[in-house]
Amino acid sequence: MNVLLFSTLYPSTVRPIHGIFVETRLRELLQTGQVQAKVVAPVPWFPFKAQRFGEYAQFAATPRQEQRNGVEVHHPRYLLLPKVGMNLAPYAMALGALPTIRRLQRQGFDFDLIDAHYYYPDGVAAGLLARWLGKPFVVTARGTDLNLIAQYPFPRKRILQTAGQASASIGVCQALMDTLGELGADRAKLHTLRNGVDLERFVPEDRTEARQRLGLPVDGRYLLSVGHLIERKGHHVAIGALLHLPGVTLLIAGAGPQEGALKALAQRLGVAERVRWVGVVPQTELKWWYSAADVLALCSSREGWANVLLEAMACGTPVIATNIWGTPEVVGKPAAGVLMARREAPALAAAWMQLHTQPPTRVETRAHAETFSWDATTQGQLRLFSEVTDAAR
């Protein structure tokens, strides 16, 4: 089976961890030997020089074509205009990607279906491409595409039209498919294929060894927060919790536009000496940080299916997380950790105390993560993709 993966959520050499979960799902699928794939991951182009800074500069530096882990990845450009960009983005994205896809077909890659990720604008653009090219397609919803963007009338209308056109919709958690069904999509076409965790990459390492490797005092108590430094990820909540957790050091792994504001917050609260900023950590090194920490905190306001939760658990580290969307499906047992009562610093501190009253063993936490292997999701994809392509013949 030949699959064209279509999504802006895919890593590149300039943004190596962007959309890593999409790449991981594809990698697991390819390992079956039953699928060949190429990736078209469009990149926005901005016509105004004043906007070519920061993330915009990263977009501009993205190569037109690259190989990632043996997979051919193409990055066509599409015009994205301010203010009107949301409504026009699917059309611009589809038009920008069409020449690249037609070239792949001329070169011999006649794919059987389009596997799109993120419903708006990516999934809607995939629907346009599928119609123009006469191909079936499926769309995977991943969180804010349905829980946030679908609140706007025009995107919601196009999402529902695309769900009707698609052969199937996939959610990384049941909560997302419930949301799409409540919006009016045909529930018979909705499927849940949750993200798994790489149980070979994320393994428990000896805690003392991990702390020594990272230059941390071995007798400390550590709370880890991983993610892009933006408000949605809630690092500010973790910083505020230090006021209620004397003796605890917060490790923050990530980079982003709020770094300065977060550092200023730590100074203002008088906890700066108990916050260690470790920057962006490569996937291959994350297991050491998970293993070194006592607890991982994820204080997000929006999260479809947070891979960091399963990664930490696979390393034997329990989690504290906000009670949102798909997270209760991950943190479903005491061995996994605790859900916060509210997205507030005192609630995080209370969850820390609750977790340490009867802490799970690292073996118990790892065992819970092992129930989330990629096998079920990969086999589910193969069955669904085969049904879609058979029906299209």
Side-chain angles (χ1 to χ4, degrees):
M1 188 188 311
N2 290 334
V3 173
L4 180 75
L5 191 150
F6 182 85
S7 181
T8 57
L9 288 177
Y10 205 86
S12 68
T13 53
V14 296
R15 298 202 297 170
I17 63 173
H18 174 72
I20 194 77
F21 39 85
V22 176
E23 182 182 47
T24 301
R25 193 173 97 170
L26 177 62
R27 185 188 70 221
E28 295 290 329
L29 185 63
L30 294 175
Q31 286 178 355
T32 66
Q34 299 182 50
V35 171
Q36 296 184 43
K38 294 188 179 182
V39 176
V40 174
V43 172
W45 175 73
F46 304 88
F48 307 107
K49 292 182 179 179
Q51 293 183 323
R52 293 177 186 172
F53 299 97
E55 191 175 40
Y56 303 108
Q58 287 186 323
F59 290 138
T62 304
R64 295 279 180 168
Q65 180 179 341
E66 59 182 325
Q67 290 276 336
R68 285 188 57 85
N69 301 312
V71 177
E72 187 177 302
V73 183
H74 298 263
H75 297 288
R77 269 47 175 181
Y78 68 97
L79 178 65
L80 188 61
L81 296 172
K83 296 185 180 179
V84 297
M86 175 179 282
N87 289 350
L88 295 181
Y91 306 95
M93 187 182 295
L95 289 169
L98 184 60
T100 296
I101 296 173
R102 287 200 183 281
R103 187 178 76 249
L104 291 176
Q105 289 181 309
R106 290 195 301 271
Q107 293 172 348
F109 187 68
D110 190 18
F111 52 91
D112 298 297
L113 86 161
I114 300 174
D115 176 24
H117 293 251
Y118 205 72
Y119 235 104
Y120 193 95
D122 308 40
V124 175
L128 293 169
L129 290 164
R131 188 166 70 242
W132 297 340
L133 298 167
K135 299 291 184 179
F137 75 106
V138 301
V139 185
T140 296
R142 294 198 162 270
T144 54
D145 46 353
L146 296 185
N147 285 297
L148 181 64
I149 296 176
Q151 295 176 12
Y152 296 91
F154 182 78
R156 181 170 62 250
K157 175 183 176 182
R158 293 297 290 122
I159 286 170
L160 286 174
Q161 289 173 341
T162 301
Q165 177 194 354
S167 297
S169 295
I170 300 170
V172 294
C173 62
Q174 183 59 45
L176 282 173
M177 291 298 90
D178 290 342
T179 296
L180 188 55
E182 290 164 3
L183 289 173
D186 180 359
R187 292 182 183 271
K189 297 168 69 175
L190 308 185
H191 305 262
T192 299
L193 295 175
R194 63 193 188 187
N195 283 351
V197 61
D198 188 334
L199 294 169
E200 295 181 1
R201 171 172 287 178
F202 297 102
V203 296
E205 300 289 352
D206 179 78
R207 183 154 288 165
T208 297
E209 180 185 352
R211 292 179 177 183
Q212 289 175 336
R213 179 188 177 100
L214 300 174
L216 301 172
V218 297
D219 58 349
R221 295 190 298 164
Y222 298 100
L223 179 65
L224 174 65
S225 185
V226 177
H228 200 42
L229 302 188
I230 53 177
E231 194 282 336
R232 176 165 63 88
K233 291 297 183 180
H235 299 289
H236 62 285
V237 177
I239 292 172
L242 294 180
L243 289 173
H244 311 279
L245 296 172
V248 174
T249 296
L250 175 62
L251 310 171
I252 296 182
Q258 277 211 327
E259 182 172 346
L262 290 169
K263 288 181 175 179
L265 174 63
Q267 287 284 355
R268 190 164 65 252
L269 296 179
V271 297
E273 293 183 357
R274 290 195 285 133
V275 180
R276 175 164 174 174
W277 306 85
V278 303
V280 176
V281 178
Q283 283 272 304
T284 52
E285 294 296 310
L286 270 173
K287 67 174 181 177
W288 296 104
W289 292 97
Y290 291 135
S291 296
D294 295 283
V295 177
L296 172 85
L298 183 67
C299 306
S300 299
S301 60
R302 305 191 303 274
E303 206 74 65
W305 185 271
N307 287 3
V308 294
L309 297 175
L310 286 174
E311 291 169 1
M313 294 176 201
C315 295
T317 301
V319 305
I320 296 171
T322 40
N323 188 356
I324 52 169
W325 300 354
T327 300
E329 298 175 38
V330 185
V331 191
K333 294 183 178 180
V338 175
L339 294 173
M340 297 164 54
R342 300 171 306 282
R343 188 180 182 245
E344 299 173 358
L348 173 54
W352 169 283
M353 299 304 294
Q354 178 185 342
L355 187 58
H356 283 79
T357 300
Q358 285 187 306
T361 67
R362 298 186 76 193
V363 172
E364 290 171 335
T365 302
R366 166 72 182 188
H368 178 71
E370 288 173 349
T371 66
F372 293 87
S373 74
W374 274 103
D375 293 345
T377 292
T378 298
Q379 292 305 314
Q381 274 187 280
L382 287 173
R383 287 192 298 271
L384 180 59
F385 288 3
S386 294
E387 291 171 3
V388 169
T389 54
D390 288 347
R393 291 192 176 102

